[in-house]
Amino acid sequence: MEGGVFLDNFLLILELIGTVSFAVSGGMVAIHKKTDIFGVLLLAAVTAVGGGITRDVILGKTPPTAFINKNYVLIALATAFVLFFIAKTNQKKYQQYEMQIFIINNIFDAIGLGIFTVVGVQVGQQAEQGENLFFCLFLGVVTAIGGGMIRDLMLKEVPFVLEKQVYAVACLLGGASYWYLTKFSALEIDVISVISIIVVFTIRMLATKYEWNLPKAIE
Amino acid sequence: MEGGVFLDNFLLILELIGTVSFAVSGGMVAIHKKTDIFGVLLLAAVTAVGGGITRDVILGKTPPTAFINKNYVLIALATAFVLFFIAKTNQKKYQQYEMQIFIINNIFDAIGLGIFTVVGVQVGQQAEQGENLFFCLFLGVVTAIGGGMIRDLMLKEVPFVLEKQVYAVACLLGGASYWYLTKFSALEIDVISVISIIVVFTIRMLATKYEWNLPKAIE
Amino acid sequence: MEGGVFLDNFLLILELIGTVSFAVSGGMVAIHKKTDIFGVLLLAAVTAVGGGITRDVILGKTPPTAFINKNYVLIALATAFVLFFIAKTNQKKYQQYEMQIFIINNIFDAIGLGIFTVVGVQVGQQAEQGENLFFCLFLGVVTAIGGGMIRDLMLKEVPFVLEKQVYAVACLLGGASYWYLTKFSALEIDVISVISIIVVFTIRMLATKYEWNLPKAIE
């Protein structure tokens, strides 16, 4: 029983960290695009909860959690507001250190990507089709990259998975780690979660650092 | 009983006016973008029913009303057809008075925005989570701006909420008026509806007239 | 009973051909846009199953078939992989014959359009609202053009229905043929399916060949 409570709390803490990470990442993109404060708040919220809403609609879990439990949206908005305030009161420094900020943004995005992949696969496992690896991976990827894709569509960017495809590959590998470890290892769920998040995070960071590219048909 | 029938009729009349308003607004954008008659019909329909479809999918009310009850789509198509016919047979005048037409378009858009905000909040109140202000406001905003956002995505515009953010702020304030007045005032529903529509309409029109802007982090 | 099994098999075979056709069409667009192998696989899969997923979400059939039955996605991926391999090992020829490839692509796209229109209308007829022509046509069009629209949004193109509007008109006419023939003719379902697919295919190919255009309000 207590294990269950702890698991729930652990998942909750992960979701909080993921929400803050994606809100920072979405808000930074919005500030870079020079949207106003409403744009910063909106894009932070969309990036943070967009993937989960898409997943819930696909699962038929309606209304989606993010529409009923306001905590996720409020945390994303509060994060974006603090970010906006810092950027506004330190405009020169913010622009001067934009390259460093981009790197920090990348780290937050990689953390969110790992956490939401694990959350998505977990939600899939608890659904009727939980035995279906394909289905669970699908939900993991949608949860992890859905919010960023909606943000990019709203900003008229080519959605990032098409340009930084390692994103989705990282989610697939991390999601598969999670699924196989929960099925075939004796490790505890929270240990498995942390391992899988690290898998996603590491692939994503290494790919950015070494500019990994996949082959093209026509060069 | 009669009050109920009247309320239903009143809501229905509002929805009809909102549908026509959004169809005019969507059709005018399509004519301005020089799409052909199919584009004008499609964009008018998408603007008019897109928000309601999105809301119904989020609520799990599937298939969405607009897919079953063809009246909404037919009204939007008929409106767009008349608009197309007028523009086609008065091409020179239409181009000459484009600025005035833009202002008229703006008025229709503001009316639709107000009506669909109220409709969305009402639908939210009738759902299981009706006591949840956050949830009802969400549905009001989605119903009101969803159609316009899909139209803008289809035309490769940056969705308008990012540029004319007062749209969403107007919906939030009008939606909150509706929710609080139904809960804490003795006014009749249809009076409250009209008040809330006027709140949205007024904020939206004033914002356009005085070009209200929200602050940016980096100017 | 055996008729039912045959019908199911016939529908299944149609869906397989449609999936391969749309995967070829989506993959060719991706290769033309010089995305890498992941982009080719992703866009082929999105084009092939995107319309069906959208239809299932609208119908409330969640999780959508394509998320549970992995065959559709696997066939699309395998098709895209073979296509990528052929293009990669014949780069010069592929670029030299791009015009011819575009025509082949067009043919595959028209086949997929016909098949998925029929599939969509069939799914509609089996739903509660099966008597509603409007509803069934809606589902036919969504199933047929939904995948291509998502692909175009992801590539930042103006969705093709706005520019090649005859797509949707072809689907509407083919879908209406199917609906009326199943209701008022004595023909067998599979004969009706083939007739309706040919209707969509023919209108779509003739429209491309003769560059049919619909009138515009402002020339």
Side-chain angles (χ1 to χ4, degrees):
Chain A
M1 294 291 267
E2 277 174 9
V5 170
F6 178 70
L7 171 59
D8 282 358
N9 285 341
F10 190 70
L11 183 57
L12 202 68
I13 292 164
L14 284 185
E15 282 196 290
L16 289 184
I17 300 172
T19 303
V20 170
S21 301
F22 268 179
V24 170
S25 154
M28 279 181 167
V29 174
I31 290 172
H32 178 74
K33 287 273 171 177
K34 307 206 171 174
T35 71
D36 63 22
I37 186 168
F38 182 82
V40 174
L41 295 175
L42 177 66
L43 287 171
V46 161
T47 310
V49 302
I53 290 176
T54 310
R55 178 201 61 216
D56 287 350
V57 168
I58 284 169
L59 270 177
K61 277 180 60 180
T62 51
T65 318
F67 274 70
I68 298 171
N69 182 338
K70 62 185 143 206
N71 292 334
Y72 299 101
V73 172
L74 288 184
I75 289 164
L77 293 179
T79 306
F81 191 81
V82 170
L83 184 71
F84 180 88
F85 186 79
I86 294 172
K88 179 86 185 167
T89 51
N90 300 278
Q91 281 194 44
K92 277 195 187 146
K93 274 198 190 157
Y94 195 91
Q95 282 176 298
Q96 196 182 331
Y97 292 106
E98 193 149 47
M99 197 56 219
Q100 286 84 335
I101 288 169
F102 176 77
I103 293 169
I104 298 172
N105 185 6
N106 227 15
I107 294 172
F108 276 104
D109 202 63
I111 295 171
L113 208 67
I115 290 175
F116 282 116
T117 300
V118 164
V119 170
V121 175
Q122 278 184 343
V123 171
Q125 285 182 326
Q126 285 153 17
E128 239 177 283
Q129 305 285 334
E131 291 299 295
N132 188 333
L133 168 63
F134 172 79
F135 173 70
C136 293
L137 284 184
F138 231 140
L139 291 179
V141 174
V142 165
T143 311
I145 70 179
M149 286 189 75
I150 298 172
R151 178 197 65 203
D152 288 352
L153 283 174
M154 289 177 86
L155 285 171
K156 233 169 42 173
E157 309 273 301
V158 173
F160 62 0
V161 272
L162 280 180
E163 294 196 330
K164 307 179 194 148
Q165 303 81 346
V166 191
Y167 279 55
V169 175
C171 296
L172 287 174
L173 292 178
S177 314
Y178 185 87
W179 196 85
Y180 280 112
L181 287 174
T182 50
K183 229 173 143 61
F184 301 115
S185 84
L187 295 169
E188 280 183 46
I189 292 283
D190 46 341
V191 177
I192 296 174
S193 299
V194 172
I195 292 173
S196 307
I197 292 165
I198 291 171
V199 169
V200 178
F201 180 83
T202 310
I203 297 174
R204 167 85 172 67
M205 293 311 288
L206 288 176
T208 313
K209 186 164 170 57
Y210 296 105
E211 297 184 0
W212 285 346
N213 282 309
L214 297 165
K216 297 183 176 189
I218 316 285
E219 302 290 342
Chain B
M1 295 287 268
E2 277 174 7
V5 171
F6 179 70
L7 171 59
D8 282 358
N9 286 340
F10 190 70
L11 183 56
L12 201 69
I13 291 164
L14 284 184
E15 280 195 290
L16 289 184
I17 299 172
T19 303
V20 170
S21 301
F22 268 179
V24 170
S25 153
M28 278 180 169
V29 173
I31 290 172
H32 178 73
K33 286 273 171 179
K34 307 206 171 174
T35 71
D36 64 20
I37 185 169
F38 182 82
V40 175
L41 296 175
L42 179 66
L43 287 172
V46 161
T47 310
V49 302
I53 290 176
T54 310
R55 178 201 61 215
D56 287 351
V57 167
I58 285 169
L59 270 177
K61 275 181 59 180
T62 51
T65 318
F67 274 69
I68 298 171
N69 182 339
K70 62 185 145 206
N71 292 335
Y72 299 101
V73 172
L74 287 184
I75 288 164
L77 293 179
T79 306
F81 191 81
V82 170
L83 184 71
F84 181 87
F85 185 79
I86 294 171
K88 179 87 183 167
T89 50
N90 300 278
Q91 283 193 45
K92 277 196 187 143
K93 274 198 190 156
Y94 195 92
Q95 282 176 299
Q96 198 182 330
Y97 293 106
E98 194 150 48
M99 197 56 218
Q100 286 84 337
I101 288 169
F102 176 77
I103 293 168
I104 298 172
N105 186 7
N106 226 15
I107 295 171
F108 276 104
D109 203 63
I111 296 171
L113 208 67
I115 290 175
F116 283 116
T117 300
V118 164
V119 170
V121 175
Q122 277 184 342
V123 171
Q125 285 182 327
Q126 284 152 18
E128 238 177 284
Q129 305 285 334
E131 291 299 295
N132 188 335
L133 168 64
F134 171 79
F135 173 68
C136 294
L137 285 183
F138 231 140
L139 290 179
V141 174
V142 165
T143 309
I145 70 179
M149 286 191 76
I150 299 173
R151 177 197 64 204
D152 289 352
L153 283 174
M154 290 176 87
L155 285 171
K156 234 166 48 170
E157 310 272 301
V158 172
F160 62 2
V161 271
L162 280 179
E163 294 196 330
K164 307 181 192 146
Q165 302 81 347
V166 191
Y167 279 55
V169 174
C171 296
L172 288 174
L173 293 178
S177 315
Y178 185 88
W179 196 85
Y180 279 112
L181 287 174
T182 51
K183 231 175 143 57
F184 300 115
S185 84
L187 295 169
E188 279 183 47
I189 292 284
D190 44 341
V191 177
I192 296 174
S193 299
V194 172
I195 292 173
S196 307
I197 292 166
I198 291 171
V199 169
V200 178
F201 180 83
T202 310
I203 297 174
R204 167 86 171 65
M205 294 311 289
L206 288 176
T208 313
K209 187 163 170 57
Y210 298 104
E211 298 183 1
W212 284 346
N213 283 308
L214 297 165
K216 296 182 176 191
I218 316 285
E219 303 289 345
Chain C
M1 295 287 267
E2 278 174 6
V5 170
F6 179 71
L7 171 60
D8 282 0
N9 286 341
F10 190 71
L11 183 57
L12 202 69
I13 291 165
L14 284 185
E15 282 195 291
L16 289 185
I17 300 172
T19 303
V20 170
S21 300
F22 269 178
V24 170
S25 153
M28 279 180 168
V29 173
I31 289 172
H32 178 74
K33 287 273 171 179
K34 308 208 171 175
T35 71
D36 64 21
I37 186 168
F38 182 82
V40 175
L41 295 175
L42 178 66
L43 287 171
V46 161
T47 311
V49 303
I53 290 175
T54 310
R55 178 202 59 215
D56 287 350
V57 168
I58 285 169
L59 271 176
K61 277 180 59 179
T62 50
T65 317
F67 275 69
I68 298 171
N69 182 338
K70 63 185 142 207
N71 292 334
Y72 298 101
V73 172
L74 287 185
I75 288 165
L77 293 179
T79 306
F81 191 81
V82 171
L83 184 72
F84 180 87
F85 186 78
I86 294 172
K88 178 88 186 167
T89 50
N90 300 278
Q91 282 193 44
K92 277 196 186 143
K93 275 199 190 155
Y94 195 91
Q95 282 176 298
Q96 197 182 330
Y97 293 105
E98 194 150 47
M99 198 55 218
Q100 285 84 335
I101 288 169
F102 177 76
I103 293 169
I104 297 172
N105 185 5
N106 227 13
I107 294 172
F108 276 105
D109 202 63
I111 296 171
L113 209 67
I115 290 175
F116 282 118
T117 300
V118 165
V119 170
V121 175
Q122 279 184 341
V123 171
Q125 285 183 326
Q126 285 153 19
E128 239 177 283
Q129 305 285 334
E131 291 298 295
N132 187 335
L133 168 65
F134 172 80
F135 173 68
C136 294
L137 285 183
F138 231 139
L139 291 179
V141 174
V142 165
T143 311
I145 70 179
M149 286 190 77
I150 300 173
R151 177 197 66 204
D152 289 352
L153 283 174
M154 290 176 86
L155 285 171
K156 233 168 45 174
E157 309 273 300
V158 173
F160 61 2
V161 272
L162 279 181
E163 294 197 330
K164 307 179 194 148
Q165 304 81 347
V166 190
Y167 279 54
V169 175
C171 296
L172 288 174
L173 292 179
S177 315
Y178 185 87
W179 196 85
Y180 279 111
L181 288 174
T182 51
K183 229 174 144 59
F184 300 115
S185 84
L187 295 169
E188 280 184 46
I189 291 284
D190 44 341
V191 177
I192 296 174
S193 299
V194 172
I195 292 173
S196 307
I197 291 165
I198 290 171
V199 169
V200 178
F201 181 83
T202 310
I203 298 174
R204 167 87 171 66
M205 294 310 288
L206 288 176
T208 313
K209 186 162 170 60
Y210 297 105
E211 297 184 359
W212 285 347
N213 283 308
L214 297 166
K216 297 184 176 189
I218 316 285
E219 302 290 344

